[in-house]
Amino acid sequence: MTVSDYDRCVERYSDNLYRFALKSLRDGEQAKDIVQESFLRLWEKRSAVMAGKEKSYLFTVAYRLIVDHVRFGKRYAGGEALLERRRSPSGGGYDDLSDVIGRYLDRLPSRQKLLIMLRDYEGYSYREIADMTSLSEAQVKVYIFRARVALKKSIGDLNDIL
């Protein structure tokens, strides 16, 4: 990978990667850090990344960094932070449908949330998601199915919410 190839990757994928990280973490600064770290790792491994696989590599790295961040946060979050997490999805006052859906997504386990976002927000195929996450394609389908069932159960009818 040359410097110009790398620059094209930054132009082409940085916005999508940032949106993915932001939707996952709901923290703009953390999302920027994830994007920066993902591109840094791409540059460090530029000789090992096959041509045409840069996007998959970037999202794989970002996914793993997000999972690590979520695990670290759960491990070291104090009692007050856990109470706030529980209160926020049920708190009202949101007018935007994406905010409402985001609150319900936050209730999902982190792995399910990330897989839903890769599939439904970013449009990756099950095979691509399996490659990114080191899960089998069947596991990806099961996690996404369970996440959708949980969302449907907790949301019910969108007309009732709005």
Side-chain angles (χ1 to χ4, degrees):
M1 172 181 284
T2 64
V3 173
S4 62
D5 292 336
Y6 179 79
D7 289 342
R8 276 193 296 276
C9 283
V10 171
E11 288 175 24
R12 201 175 293 156
Y13 305 125
S14 61
D15 288 340
N16 291 343
L17 202 59
Y18 176 73
R19 272 196 322 271
F20 172 64
L22 183 62
K23 289 268 187 192
S24 300
L25 299 172
R26 299 222 180 256
D27 182 346
E29 292 304 314
Q30 289 295 326
K32 288 177 186 177
D33 290 344
I34 296 288
V35 171
Q36 186 172 5
E37 181 66 23
S38 298
F39 278 105
L40 175 66
R41 291 186 185 186
L42 173 65
W43 181 252
E44 290 171 346
K45 301 286 185 177
R46 65 187 176 274
S47 61
V49 177
M50 294 174 33
K53 298 291 185 180
E54 298 90 358
K55 182 177 181 182
S56 177
Y57 180 83
L58 285 167
F59 275 87
T60 300
V61 169
Y63 169 80
R64 291 180 179 158
L65 289 169
I66 290 167
V67 168
D68 289 345
H69 178 77
V70 169
R71 284 183 187 155
F72 180 80
K74 283 184 180 176
R75 190 177 312 145
Y76 295 105
E80 194 62 38
L82 291 174
L83 288 175
E84 184 60 33
R85 259 192 225 152
R86 286 186 183 161
R87 279 189 223 126
S88 64
S90 61
Y94 288 101
D95 298 320
D96 191 28
L97 181 59
S98 64
D99 288 337
V100 172
I101 292 172
R103 288 187 294 152
Y104 284 101
L105 278 172
D106 287 341
R107 291 182 177 178
L108 293 174
S110 61
R111 178 172 283 180
Q112 289 181 357
K113 177 183 174 183
L114 292 171
L115 293 176
I116 282 283
M117 292 178 63
L118 285 171
R119 176 73 179 157
D120 295 336
Y121 281 87
E122 297 299 327
Y124 284 104
S125 70
Y126 293 115
R127 169 72 5 231
E128 291 171 320
I129 295 170
D131 291 341
M132 286 181 209
T133 59
S134 301
L135 297 170
S136 72
E137 194 171 343
Q139 287 174 311
V140 169
K141 289 178 181 179
V142 167
Y143 281 126
I144 290 175
F145 174 78
R146 289 178 182 166
R148 288 178 178 160
V149 167
L151 284 172
K152 187 175 182 179
K153 185 177 178 181
S154 65
I155 292 174
D157 186 12
L158 282 179
N159 292 325
D160 295 338
I161 294 172
L162 302 173

